[in-house]
Amino acid sequence: MSRVIHVAVGVVRRSDGKILIARRPDHLHMGGRWEFPGGKVEAGESVQQALTRELHEEVAIEVQQLQPLLKIQHDYEEKTVLLDTWQVTAFTGEAQGLEGQETAWVAVQELKNYQFPDANQAIIEAIEAAEV
């Protein structure tokens, strides 16, 4: 069995309700698809610390407030990921792709127009359910 990669994922929402997504670099697993920003939880880090660090490094925002959304374990052929997903309910800074990735702010109803990795489908469903 493959090892589980623990990933902190942020659903970053602006005051206008739009959500931040970023395009994965082509050379990475699922390259070219869109994702919610975040990254691997390092040894000795809490999920909240990892997400705060990753969002600062990847998209130049400083997390002010988080709340848990859901955890998803998904098996790909080559690896298993545990997506520990949090809503970023307050942040400072202007989001931009610091690692050269394209970013976009999209309305919840527009998320279905973007191609995400398979594991992200449950996150999108949870976001849509929260809108009702």
Side-chain angles (χ1 to χ4, degrees):
M1 182 171 166
S2 63
R3 70 183 181 97
V4 176
I5 300 169
H6 193 184
V7 180
V9 177
V11 175
V12 181
R13 190 184 294 254
R14 277 192 322 207
S15 59
D16 65 3
K18 291 190 174 183
I19 293 174
L20 180 65
I21 60 174
R23 189 188 298 267
R24 292 182 60 77
D26 290 335
H27 69 279
L28 296 180
H29 178 256
M30 297 281 164
R33 293 190 183 197
W34 291 85
E35 66 180 353
F36 302 99
K40 293 178 188 167
V41 178
E42 303 293 343
E45 271 186 325
S46 70
V47 176
Q48 298 93 330
Q49 289 169 328
L51 186 56
T52 298
R53 175 183 53 76
E54 288 283 352
L55 292 177
H56 175 75
E57 292 173 358
E58 285 185 19
V59 293
I61 64 171
E62 297 295 332
V63 173
Q64 304 294 311
Q65 194 171 353
L66 293 167
Q67 66 183 50
L69 181 62
L70 78 158
K71 290 183 183 179
I72 306 157
Q73 186 160 315
H74 186 85
D75 297 319
Y76 289 104
E77 191 172 309
E78 59 281 355
K79 63 182 171 182
T80 299
V81 294
L82 171 62
L83 302 181
D84 204 332
T85 309
W86 291 69
Q87 294 184 82
V88 177
T89 54
F91 66 94
T92 59
E94 197 62 43
Q96 56 183 303
L98 293 180
E99 298 173 344
Q101 74 277 38
E102 184 180 351
T103 61
W105 289 100
V106 299
V108 172
Q109 62 271 22
E110 295 173 342
L111 289 171
K112 65 183 173 295
N113 299 332
Y114 293 83
Q115 187 177 21
F116 285 83
D118 298 341
N120 282 234
Q121 193 54 47
I123 299 171
I124 294 168
E125 290 169 6
I127 294 167
E128 290 172 342
E131 293 292 300
V132 177

